[in-house]
């Protein structure tokens, strides 16, 4: 059979049609990518305890929204799920995550098996409530170093928290460890050049995509460079907390009043391609104070810059 050949004119027409079809297919994807890249690289949220406005939960949510926040973190377990969902729906404020309500007092590292069982039950209940309001993370302080030797506390924390991983996966809620002054994964009597290596290894020991870090930028400025910690923790960081700290005075401060090198922190976050929630964790107050906190977040890290 003789092979059919197309005339030059028909070849041009077919190539043109194919190009148009290809562009038509590409255009929605390109537009979506451009729209995503144009979104703010940091989404501002805050802890519920910071909202000092009197009134119902709906009124508190409305104040946070007016102050410039997109989200809020509740303390779990312990809140009224129906009330929280109603307040979020009415105000448009997103409940993006929760914070362990009793993780300082009822600890996964406690020497008592009974206390560790209570800590596990609280974690499981907290995960349930977190999922029930549509949030996808629960912040957890994994324990306290003074509960035993370093090895004992490490093993107790991993063994106890690991039992909640099936719950986390089923509910779609990640457990995010916070770097705090709990005498774990750093030397409280050490210098200012400590690294995040031990904290990163602890997270990795769970070997689970449902465990990560909610990295508090200000918490360990006394002991190490937050920019270096960010680069070490890298993709383990799922969300951020922010506060100020002064090495000169040894005290926590308003976000913009300490001596943290915010440009270096921002560059480190950009280097690991972090985007997402940034939670204020400082002294709160009335609407004017919340607006100040929101402005301070922007001043420190320019939250509204685009993802791209």
């Amino acid at each position: 059979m003789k092979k059919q050949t197309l005339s030059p004119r028909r070849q041009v027409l077919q190539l043109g049609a194919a190009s148009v079809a290809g562009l038509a297919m590409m255009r929605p994807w390109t537009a979506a990518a451009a729209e995503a890249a144009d979104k703010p690289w940091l989404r501002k949220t805050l802890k519920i305890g910071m909202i000092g406005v009197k009134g119902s939960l709906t009124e508190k949510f409305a104040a946070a929204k007016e102050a410039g926040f997109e989200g809020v973190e509740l303390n779990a377990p312990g809140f009224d799920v129906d009330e929280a969902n109603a307040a979020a729906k009415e105000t448009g404020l997103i409940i993006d995550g929760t914070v362990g309500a009793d993780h300082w007092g009822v600890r996964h590292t406690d020497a008592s098996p009974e206390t560790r069982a209570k800590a596990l039950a609280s974690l499981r209940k907290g995960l349930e409530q977190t999922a029930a309001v549509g949030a996808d993370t629960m912040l957890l302080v994994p324990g306290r170093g003074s509960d035993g030797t370093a090895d004992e506390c490490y093993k107790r924390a991993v063994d106890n928290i690991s039992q909640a991983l099936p719950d986390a996966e089923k509910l779609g809620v990640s457990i995010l460890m916070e770097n705090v002054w709990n005498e774990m994964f750093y030397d409280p009597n050490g210098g200012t050049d400590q690294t995040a290596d031990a904290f990163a290894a602890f997270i990795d020991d769970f070997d689970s995509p449902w465990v990560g870090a909610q990295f508090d930028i200000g918490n360990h400025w006394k002991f190490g460079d937050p920019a270096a910690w960010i680069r070490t923790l890298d993709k383990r960081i799922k969300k951020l907390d922010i506060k100020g700290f002064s090495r000169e005075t040894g005290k926590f401060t308003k976000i913009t009043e300490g001596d943290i090198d915010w440009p270096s922190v921002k560059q480190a976050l950009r280097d690991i391609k972090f985007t997402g929630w940034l939670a204020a964790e400082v002294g709160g107050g009335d609407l004017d104070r919340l607006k100040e906190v929101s402005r301070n977040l922007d001043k420190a890290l320019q939250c509204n810059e685009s993802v791209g």
Side-chain angles (χ1 to χ4, degrees), residues 285-304:
D286 61 13
L287 180 59
D288 286 341
R289 169 57 182 154
L290 297 181
K291 288 180 177 180
E292 178 190 14
V293 174
S294 180
R295 290 193 300 269
N296 287 345
L297 264 63
D298 290 328
K299 184 176 180 181
L301 292 174
Q302 297 77 55
C303 302
N304 289 321

Side-chain angles (χ1 to χ4, degrees), residues 46 61 68 82 171 186 189 276:
L46 78 169
F61 278 23
D82 291 337
L171 295 165
Y186 74 102
N189 299 311

Side-chain angles (χ1 to χ4, degrees), residues 19-36:
S19 298
V20 170
L23 288 171
M25 292 176 65
M26 289 174 62
R27 191 174 293 114
W29 184 91
T30 304
E35 181 181 356

